[in-house]
C-alpha cells in the first residue's frame, strides 16, 4: 500500500472539518435536541421521577443525554459520506493514488471532533442548569475515553449506513433506534421500575453499563465491574462495525 | 472484420508501446452484458475518442480503466500497468474526469485545487492552484465556493483538478455534455493543448463533431463491441464516395455513425443504404 495514510487522512479530515465549519448548524442541531430533552426532564418530569439516590436529577440523567447527543450527531457523518458518494468526489478520490482507507478515516475523525464539540456544548449547558460533579481529572479522562469509544463505535455504524444508503433519508434513518436506546436503559429511570421483560432488556443492553459507569465516574464513586462490561460492549460493537464497514467499502471500491 | 490496419497515429518521437491497451474486456451487470469483447490500443500522446450512444458502456469502460470497477474478463493496461494487478501504479499514471463534475461544492475553487495537490503530494499546492486558476480563467472566481459556479466553470475546475501532478494519461468521460457552445470550445482547446504537451487523452462522447474535431483515432462502441476503430479519414472511407452532382460532399462522421449503428447485422460491410447527400449541414470547423 502507500506510505501516505497519515498525511492523506490529515488532508481529508481537514477538508471534512471545513464542511462543518462552513455549516456549523449541524453541530448546533446536534446539541439542541439533547438540551431540549434536558430541560424537559429536569424542569417538567424530573420532579416526579424517583431515582432512589441522593444526587440531583440532572446529575443522574446527563450521561444518557450525552449518549443521545452522540447518537444523533453520527447521523451527519452518514449524511456527509452519502453526499460524497453521490457527488462524484468519492470516485475522484478512488481514482487517485491516495491511501484508500484515508477517505473513510477522514470522515471518522471529523465525526469524532464534531461530536465532542456537541458534547462539550451540552455539558456546558448542563453546568448552567446545575450539574455538579466531584470527578477527579482521572475520572474526567475516563469519561472522555468512554465517550470517544462510543462515538467511534457509532461512527463506524454510520459509515455502514452512509455507504449502503440509497437515499439521503436512508442514510440517517439508522440513528433513530440508537437515539431511542437510552430511553430503555438506566439513563432516565432506574431499570427496576420497569416491567419484567423491559427491565431485562434494559439491564442487558449496552447503554445501561455505559450510563452506569459514566454516572459513577461523574459522582466520584467506584465503577465496579460495570466499566468492563461497558468497555467490552464498546470495543465489540466498534470491531464488528469496523469490519463490516471496511468490507462494504472494499466492495464499493472494487 | 477490423479495418484498423494502419498503425495508430503517434506523434514524432513517441515510443511504440501503447499508452492504453484493452484486450477482450467484458463486463456484465446481472443479466445485462454491457461490454462483450472490447479491444483497442491508444498510442502515447494521442487523442482517442470512444464514441457511443447513451448506455453504450462508455462510462463502464472508463471506470474499468481507471480502476473503479473490475472487468469480468479480458485485460487492460495503462502505461504498461495492468489495471487489475497494479491499480496503485495505474492510479499514479492517470487522472479521471468523470461524467459528472466531481468538485467539492462547499470548498472554493482554489481550495479544491489545493486539496487535490495535497493528495497528490505536490510540493507547492498554493502555487499549483493559482497557476491552474489562471490557466482556466478562474482566477476571479477562485475564492468563491464551487457551488456558485456555472456548469462551464465547474467543468473547467473539474478538468483543472485532474491535471494536477501531470498524469501521462487523462480520461475524460463526456467532458462537454451539458455545456454551452462557448464552454465546449474552451474544453476542446484544453484537450488539444494537453495532447500537444504529450499527454494521452481518452475521451468518451456522444457527439460526433467532438470526435471529429479532437480525435486522432475514433472507436465506435456499439452493443458491447468496438464496431469500428480508425482515423476520421478511414471511417469516412467506409462509405461509398459521395455521388458527384453539382457539389462533392464527403459523408460526415454522423452519417457514417448512423449507417453503421443502423445496420448492426452487416457490421462487416459498408452499409448499403447510405444517403448520398448529407442530411444535416456539416458542423466541421477548421482545426
Ligand atoms: N452499476 C451498474 N449497475 C447496473 N447497471 C449498470 C451500472 N452501470 C451501468 N449500468 C448499465 O450499463 C449500461 C451502460 O452504462 P454506461 O457505461 O453508463 O453507458 P454510457 O456511459 O455509454 O452512457 C447502461 O444500460 C446502464 O444502465
Ligand atoms: Mg456515461
Amino acid at each position: 500500500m502507500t506510505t501516505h495514510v497519515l498525511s492523506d487522512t490529515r488532508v481529508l479530515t481537514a477538508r471534512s472539518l471545513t464542511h462543518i465549519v462552513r455549516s456549523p448548524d449541524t453541530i448546533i442541531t446536534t446539541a439542541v435536541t439533547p438540551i431540549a430533552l434536558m430541560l424537559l426532564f429536569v424542569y417538567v418530569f424530573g420532579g416526579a421521577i424517583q431515582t432512589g439516590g441522593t444526587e440531583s436529577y440532572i446529575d443522574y440523567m446527563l450521561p444518557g443525554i450525552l449518549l443521545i447527543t452522540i447518537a444523533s450527531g453520527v447521523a451527519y457523518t452518514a449524511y456527509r459520506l452519502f453526499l460524497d458518494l453521490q457527488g462524484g468526489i468519492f470516485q475522484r478520490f478512488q481514482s487517485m493514488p491516495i491511501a484508500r482507507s484515508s477517505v473513510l478515516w477522514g470522515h471518522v475523525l471529523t465525526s469524532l471532533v464534531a461530536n465532542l464539540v456537541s458534547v462539550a456544548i451540552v455539558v456546558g449547558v448542563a453546568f448552567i442548569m446545575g450539574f455538579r460533579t466531584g470527578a477527579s481529572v482521572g475520572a474526567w479522562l475516563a469519561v472522555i475515553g468512554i465517550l470517544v469509544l462510543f462515538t467511534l463505535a457509532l461512527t463506524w455504524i454510520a459509515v455502514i449506513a452512509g455507504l449502503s444508503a440509497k437515499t439521503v433519508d436512508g442514510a440517517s434513518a439508522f440513528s433513530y433506534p440508537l437515539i431511542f436506546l437510552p430511553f430503555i436503559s438506566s439513563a432516565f429511570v432506574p431499570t427496576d421500575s420497569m416491567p419484567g421483560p423491559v427491565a431485562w432488556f434494559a439491564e442487558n443492553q449496552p447503554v445501561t453499563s455505559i450510563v452506569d459507569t459514566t454516572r459513577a465516574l461523574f459522582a466520584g464513586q467506584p465503577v465496579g465491574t460495570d466499566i468492563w462490561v461497558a468497555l467490552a460492549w464498546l470495543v465489540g460493537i466498534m470491531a464488528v462495525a469496523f469490519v463490516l464497514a471496511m468490507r462494504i467499502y472494499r466492495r464499493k471500491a472494487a | 472484420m477490423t479495418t484498423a490496419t494502419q498503425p495508430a497515429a503517434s506523434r514524432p518521437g513517441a515510443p511504440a508501446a501503447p499508452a492504453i491497451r484493452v484486450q477482450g474486456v467484458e463486463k456484465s451487470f446481472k443479466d445485462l452484458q454491457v461490454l462483450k469483447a472490447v479491444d483497442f490500443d491508444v498510442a502515447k500522446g494521442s487523442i482517442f475518442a470512444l464514441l457511443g450512444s447513451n448506455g453504450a458502456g462508455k462510462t463502464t469502460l472508463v471506470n474499468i480503466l481507471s480502476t473503479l470497477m473490475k472487468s469480468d474478463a479480458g485485460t487492460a493496461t495503462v502505461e504498461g500497468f495492468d489495471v487489475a494487478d497494479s491499480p496503485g501504479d495505474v492510479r499514479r499514471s492517470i487522472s479521471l474526469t468523470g461524467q459528472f463534475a466531481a468538485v467539492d461544492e462547499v470548498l472554493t475553487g482554489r481550495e479544491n485545487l489545493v486539496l487535490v495537490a495535497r493528495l497528490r503530494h505536490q510540493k507547492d499546492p498554493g502555487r499549483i492552484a493559482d497557476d491552474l486558476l489562471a490557466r482556466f480563467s478562474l482566477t476571479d472566481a477562485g475564492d468563491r465556493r464551487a457551488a456558485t459556479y456555472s456548469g462551464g466553470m465547474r467543468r473547467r475546475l473539474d478538468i483543472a483538478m485532474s491535471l494536477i501532478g501531470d498524469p501521462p494519461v487523462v480520461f475524460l468521460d463526456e467532458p462537454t455534455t451539458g455545456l454551452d457552445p462557448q464552454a465546449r470550445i474552451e474544453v476542446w482547446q484544453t484537450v488539444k493543448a494537453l495532447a500537444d504537451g504529450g499527454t494521452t487523452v481518452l475521451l468518451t462522447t456522444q457527439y460526433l463533431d467532438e470526435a471529429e474535431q479532437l480525435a486522432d483515432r475514433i472507436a465506435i462502441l456499439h452493443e458491447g463491441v468496438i464496431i469500428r476503430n480508425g482515423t476520421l479519414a478511414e471511417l469516412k472511407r467506409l462509405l461509398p464516395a459521395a455521388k458527384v452532382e453539382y457539389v462533392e460532399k464527403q459523408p460526415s462522421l454522423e452519417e457514417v455513425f448512423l449507417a453503421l449503428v443502423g445496420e448492426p447485422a452487416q457490421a462487416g460491410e459498408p452499409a448499403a443504404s447510405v444517403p448520398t447527400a448529407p442530411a444535416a449541414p456539416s458542423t466541421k470547423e477548421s482545426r
Side-chain angles (χ1 to χ4, degrees):
Chain A
M1 286 295 287
T2 81
T3 52
H4 296 296
V5 185
L6 291 182
S7 71
D8 291 347
T9 301
R10 189 165 40 79
V11 171
L12 288 167
T13 307
R15 162 197 177 242
S16 196
L17 283 173
T18 307
H19 283 213
I20 292 187
V21 171
R22 300 224 167 128
S23 40
D25 49 303
T26 59
I27 288 191
I28 309 290
T29 313
T30 303
V32 161
T33 309
I35 289 171
L37 274 176
M38 218 155 42
L39 293 169
L40 191 68
F41 270 85
V42 170
Y43 296 121
V44 182
F45 305 144
I49 296 175
Q50 295 301 317
T51 61
T54 53
E55 76 253 90
S56 69
Y57 188 60
I58 188 156
D59 293 355
Y60 184 85
M61 58 128 33
L62 185 64
I65 289 288
L66 297 182
L67 300 191
I68 288 177
T69 308
I70 294 166
S72 62
V74 293
Y76 285 106
T77 304
Y79 171 76
R80 282 189 292 266
L81 187 56
F82 178 78
L83 288 192
D84 273 7
L85 280 160
Q86 291 289 300
I89 194 101
F90 186 84
Q91 280 214 335
R92 178 186 286 286
F93 293 150
Q94 297 296 310
S95 72
M96 284 170 58
I98 60 180
R100 291 251 146 156
S101 56
S102 299
V103 177
L104 290 190
W105 278 111
H107 281 286
V108 169
L109 295 180
T110 300
S111 175
L112 193 56
V113 173
N115 279 295
L116 290 183
V117 171
S118 297
V119 162
I121 293 173
V122 173
V123 171
V125 173
F127 269 117
I128 295 169
M129 289 172 60
F131 167 68
R132 292 295 174 264
T133 170
S136 63
V137 174
W140 267 109
L141 289 178
V143 168
I144 291 169
I146 286 172
L147 294 179
V148 164
L149 277 179
F150 187 75
T151 307
L152 287 175
L154 263 51
T155 296
W156 283 107
I157 296 176
V159 169
I160 295 175
L163 286 174
S164 24
K166 301 273 183 288
T167 63
V168 177
D169 292 336
S172 48
F174 77 98
S175 68
Y176 302 139
L178 297 180
I179 294 169
F180 200 68
L181 269 187
F183 290 101
I184 317 170
S185 78
S186 62
F188 298 104
V189 293
T191 54
D192 51 24
S193 68
M194 300 173 187
V198 182
W200 183 87
F201 175 80
E203 272 154 26
N204 293 289
Q205 65 126 322
V207 169
T208 293
S209 61
I210 300 167
V211 161
D212 290 349
T213 304
T214 312
R215 194 180 281 143
L217 287 166
F218 273 146
Q221 287 164 2
V223 291
T225 55
D226 273 340
I227 190 163
W228 302 112
V229 178
L231 286 177
W233 273 115
L234 288 171
V235 173
I237 292 169
M238 188 164 60
V240 170
F242 175 81
V243 168
L244 278 178
M246 283 313 233
R247 188 174 296 173
I248 294 169
Y249 179 61
R250 282 204 202 93
R251 215 177 42 216
K252 205 112 197 158
Chain B
M1 61 163 266
T2 179
T3 57
T5 49
Q6 292 182 343
S10 55
R11 269 144 223 275
I20 302 171
R21 167 159 282 180
V22 179
Q23 288 176 315
V25 163
E26 298 176 24
K27 179 75 187 179
S28 301
F29 297 109
K30 302 215 170 73
D31 293 342
L32 179 68
Q33 196 173 8
V34 178
L35 303 175
K36 288 177 186 153
V38 175
D39 298 279
F40 62 83
D41 283 357
V42 179
K44 282 210 162 102
S46 69
I47 302 180
F48 186 91
L50 191 64
L51 187 61
S53 340
N54 200 8
K58 304 181 295 296
T59 298
T60 304
L61 192 57
V62 166
N63 284 346
I64 290 170
L65 291 176
S66 50
T67 77
L68 296 178
M69 223 178 240
K70 289 205 162 65
S71 65
D72 300 337
T75 57
T77 60
V78 176
E79 293 283 305
F81 300 115
D82 190 290
V83 294
D85 299 338
S86 338
D89 291 315
V90 171
R91 282 178 214 129
R92 264 185 286 282
S93 310
I94 63 159
S95 82
L96 167 65
T97 305
Q99 184 166 354
F100 304 101
V103 303
D104 186 326
E105 308 228 318
V106 178
L107 302 183
T108 66
R110 191 171 187 281
E111 286 168 339
N112 268 288
L113 294 164
V114 169
L115 172 69
V116 174
R118 291 217 167 104
L119 290 173
R120 283 200 179 261
H121 313 114
Q122 300 293 301
K123 286 241 163 51
D124 191 349
R127 191 186 46 76
I128 290 173
D130 291 333
D131 287 353
L132 281 167
L133 287 172
R135 188 167 143 202
F136 285 84
S137 321
L138 289 168
T139 302
D140 291 341
D143 291 327
R144 261 170 43 206
R145 290 196 197 182
T148 66
Y149 284 16
S150 69
M153 292 163 79
R154 201 173 294 214
R155 195 37 130 177
R156 279 185 345 250
L157 175 62
D158 196 28
I159 294 176
M161 286 162 75
S162 297
L163 302 187
I164 294 170
D166 296 319
V169 177
V170 170
F171 297 115
L172 298 165
D173 194 5
E174 301 203 21
T176 63
T177 300
L179 296 192
D180 60 47
Q182 176 57 34
R184 259 186 112 194
I185 289 169
E186 285 169 12
V187 170
W188 286 357
Q189 284 164 350
T190 307
V191 173
K192 283 178 191 168
L194 271 177
D196 289 341
T199 303
T200 308
V201 179
L202 185 153
L203 66 88
T204 77
T205 184
Q206 302 184 40
Y207 302 121
L208 303 138
D209 59 331
E210 185 158 290
E212 242 180 305
Q213 278 289 312
L214 290 174
D216 297 312
R217 283 188 87 83
I218 299 164
I220 300 178
L221 178 64
H222 184 63
E223 296 187 343
V225 290
I226 303 284
I227 55 171
R228 282 294 182 278
N229 176 352
T231 61
L232 179 63
E234 285 167 357
L235 292 182
K236 285 190 170 181
R237 243 181 274 134
L238 290 173
L239 292 191
K243 198 159 88 186
V244 178
E245 288 182 351
Y246 298 103
V247 191
E248 182 174 338
K249 184 79 178 72
Q250 286 286 313
S252 76
L253 182 58
E254 182 154 1
E255 289 162 306
V256 179
F257 177 80
L258 291 176
L260 291 170
V261 164
E263 308 279 344
Q266 313 172 19
E269 293 290 316
S273 60
V274 175
T276 50
S282 169
T283 52
K284 182 120 176 70
E285 295 163 35
S286 60
R287 287 186 67 170

